[in-house]
Amino acid sequence: MVRLIKGTAVLPGVNGGEKMRKEDDLWITVKPHSLSIMDDGRLVASFDRAGRLYTVYREGHTFVRGLSGIVVEKWHAEPLAPKHIRVLTEDEKRAFLARLWSEVSDIVTAFRKGRARVQIFTQGSGAEDLDRWLERILAWDASAYARDEERFLSVYKPVSILPPDQYLALVLQVTEGCHWNKCTFCDFYRDRRFQIKTDEAVRQHIAAVKAFLGDSITLRRSLFLADANALILPQERLLRILELIHESFSFGNGRTHAEGGVTLEGIYSFLDAYSGMRKTVEDFIALRERHVKRLYLGVESGHDELLQFVNKPGTAEEALDVVTRIKAAGLSVGVIILIGLGGDLFFEAHVRDTIALLREMPLGREDIIYLSPLYIHPGSDYEEKARAFRVRALTWEEMKRQIRLIRDGLRGAPSAERPKISIYDVREFVY
């Protein structure tokens, strides 16, 4: 039985008791697409409907587990200090998952003895559904997660990066790698050659992704066409792939259950300015009519000399042209700017020309400007070229100043009409 008390459902344990454990405050919170287990605020662990862990909060540290098996830890050593972000080692990850399984098992046992409360924020969930969900969670011990990692690699190439608002997207790799793959600052796709999948390969990939995710798919909000620049596909080929996608997925307001799956709220993808010049406004309209919602451009800078310095194809003028076409077609845009690119040598020109470019773009409140701090990979082409030209990397304080200058330079339009401006820390990405 489910008993509602001021909007909170309290499910008795199997012995019918409702007595709370005095020394701990144990909660199980049930939402349509996730279940969270909490122990007095010291531990909060959230799981999807397949029982897979996706986030844990413990004593000021947040841990995020991706479908790939990677676990990222994030914390602030002190208030207002830069965020610390790191990937757990394999040994740390196994110990972390084993400890968590033990803690969750204890809380589930306490619940079944009537010593935990349950909040339900979804219609139609009762004790039987909750018990099945808890059994699924308990089935995911450290060994099960290790097997899951192996299965992920049979379905996906590593998913290298997504925009922050797409971290809970369902990724389809209709292409693999990056067709250019020569930008000196980027090593996301150095491990693979660019490849466009055949229609049959896309069908097989869709089937494999759905089988791998199972009920985890209900946590996914949207669909992202990967890898780096799936929209480089010729328009006819791209539309055919979108048809295959629509045969397998429903699109609407997002995250509502549909017969045989889930309803996703739209389709998203990366696009570079150089490739975007090949598409007309009519091409982009055709994408919008097939539930494409937003395209993300790694513009990086408005200063052409800096783009040439880092071997980025395209120019600021081409980026403006492509964004204008996308907006004319009724799509929204995510514009990514690299903070710290070109270090001290290009600081002033990077800020000046980037502000000028962004102000000229027809961006509105449905668009996003991402300011992404540059993290230089040891041994990268960028590091070597910067050394050759005596380019000094910016300090964290200088990075913050560059962010502030760009933000200040974009003021002017009424706040209700401005695009959202957000920090994009690539270290936080997990899929």
Side-chain angles (χ1 to χ4, degrees):
M1 296 289 293
V2 180
R3 184 155 58 87
L4 295 177
I5 301 178
K6 294 182 180 179
T8 299
V10 180
L11 274 69
V14 293
N15 66 352
E18 293 178 4
K19 183 179 178 181
M20 292 294 294
R21 191 167 68 177
K22 296 292 185 182
E23 62 272 25
D24 292 310
D25 192 5
L26 306 179
W27 289 85
I28 299 175
T29 299
V30 182
K31 296 183 179 179
H33 313 290
S34 65
L35 183 149
S36 297
I37 292 177
M38 291 166 275
D39 184 353
D40 196 28
R42 294 176 302 225
L43 171 72
V44 182
S46 297
F47 306 83
D48 63 28
R49 290 200 69 89
R52 282 185 174 97
L53 172 73
Y54 70 93
T55 186
V56 173
Y57 172 84
R58 180 190 280 124
E59 298 173 350
H61 291 234
T62 298
F63 301 83
V64 182
R65 180 190 182 271
L67 292 168
S68 64
I70 187 174
V71 177
V72 170
E73 179 184 14
K74 302 181 285 187
W75 76 99
H76 287 277
E78 56 186 65
L80 303 180
K83 185 183 293 185
H84 293 272
I85 302 172
R86 73 182 191 97
V87 177
L88 298 192
T89 67
E90 287 301 311
D91 287 344
E92 289 173 331
K93 184 170 63 177
R94 282 192 291 270
F96 167 78
L97 292 171
R99 176 186 175 188
L100 179 68
W101 186 91
S102 179
E103 292 170 319
V104 170
S105 181
D106 287 346
I107 294 172
V108 172
T109 298
F111 158 69
R112 287 172 171 167
K113 292 180 178 179
R115 297 200 298 262
R117 286 189 178 183
V118 176
Q119 292 177 299
I120 294 184
F121 297 95
T122 180
Q123 296 292 327
S125 292
E128 185 178 344
D129 181 56
L130 174 59
D131 197 57
R132 282 196 300 268
W133 203 336
L134 293 174
E135 285 299 324
R136 288 183 177 186
I137 291 169
L138 293 176
W140 285 91
D141 58 13
S143 296
Y145 281 118
R147 293 191 298 272
D148 200 49
E149 288 184 42
E150 295 180 4
R151 191 177 176 195
F152 176 89
L153 292 176
S154 72
V155 175
Y156 286 106
K157 287 286 198 286
V159 178
S160 299
I161 196 67
L162 295 175
D165 62 304
Q166 295 301 308
Y167 283 178
L168 281 179
L170 185 157
V171 173
L172 290 181
Q173 290 176 317
V174 299
T175 63
E176 293 178 0
C178 173
H179 77 288
W180 177 248
N181 213 16
K182 297 176 184 176
C183 296
T184 61
F185 57 85
C186 176
D187 67 349
F188 287 139
Y189 305 102
R190 297 288 197 236
D191 62 341
R192 73 203 80 164
R193 295 180 63 182
F194 181 67
Q195 176 184 335
I196 297 173
K197 289 181 177 174
T198 65
D199 290 0
E200 182 56 31
V202 170
R203 286 192 186 92
Q204 293 175 2
H205 181 57
I206 290 172
V209 167
K210 292 178 76 171
F212 169 70
L213 287 174
D215 281 350
S216 292
I217 201 170
T218 60
L219 189 66
R220 304 291 133 180
R221 298 173 176 173
S222 57
L223 189 147
F224 197 91
L225 296 183
D227 270 334
N229 188 11
L231 267 65
I232 196 175
L233 290 166
Q235 185 73 358
E236 183 179 348
R237 182 80 176 275
L238 179 58
L239 295 182
R240 193 161 66 244
I241 285 177
L242 290 174
E243 288 175 8
L244 296 178
I245 289 171
H246 282 277
E247 290 172 5
S248 298
F249 300 98
S250 298
F251 294 90
N253 293 328
R255 302 189 70 183
T256 57
H257 289 281
E259 195 170 324
V262 69
T263 299
L264 301 169
E265 58 90 12
I267 300 172
Y268 299 77
S269 190
F270 286 121
L271 174 68
D272 69 73
Y274 181 76
S275 303
M277 291 293 291
R278 304 178 186 180
K279 295 199 181 292
T280 65
V281 173
E282 289 72 27
D283 289 336
F284 288 123
I285 289 174
L287 300 184
R288 188 201 70 208
E289 291 172 343
R290 289 160 176 81
H291 293 284
V292 175
K293 299 291 186 181
R294 178 181 294 129
L295 301 178
Y296 301 84
L297 280 78
V299 173
E300 324 306 0
S301 176
H303 185 57
D304 284 343
E305 186 180 342
L306 176 54
L307 295 177
Q308 294 169 9
F309 180 78
V310 298
N311 204 25
K312 175 77 180 182
T315 64
E317 184 178 353
E318 287 174 339
L320 174 60
D321 192 345
V322 172
V323 167
T324 301
R325 294 184 202 183
I326 294 171
K327 294 298 297 177
L331 295 170
S332 62
V333 179
V335 177
I336 302 165
I337 302 297
L338 277 179
I339 299 300
L341 191 67
D344 63 332
L345 180 62
F346 288 94
F347 188 107
E348 299 299 335
H350 180 33
V351 169
R352 180 192 67 237
D353 291 352
T354 295
I355 291 171
L357 174 61
L358 293 174
R359 289 184 68 90
E360 199 170 352
M361 287 179 173
L363 302 177
R365 59 183 178 181
E366 71 279 6
D367 303 308
I368 305 173
I369 297 173
Y370 280 121
L371 304 180
S372 183
L374 173 68
Y375 293 97
I376 302 170
H377 304 285
S380 67
D381 294 342
Y382 181 89
E383 184 183 56
E384 292 180 8
K385 191 165 186 178
R387 186 183 300 115
F389 282 80
R390 297 184 179 181
V391 175
R392 178 181 60 79
L394 300 188
T395 65
W396 178 244
E397 288 302 318
E398 288 171 322
M399 290 256 204
K400 290 197 295 185
R401 177 170 173 260
Q402 195 166 80
I403 290 171
R404 185 171 63 254
L405 288 170
I406 292 175
R407 282 184 177 273
D408 289 347
L410 296 177
R411 299 186 192 281
S415 58
E417 300 301 323
R418 294 180 202 156
K420 179 181 178 181
I421 302 176
S422 182
I423 302 301
Y424 180 0
D425 191 327
V426 297
R427 299 175 302 162
E428 296 193 47
F429 170 68
V430 176
Y431 183 75

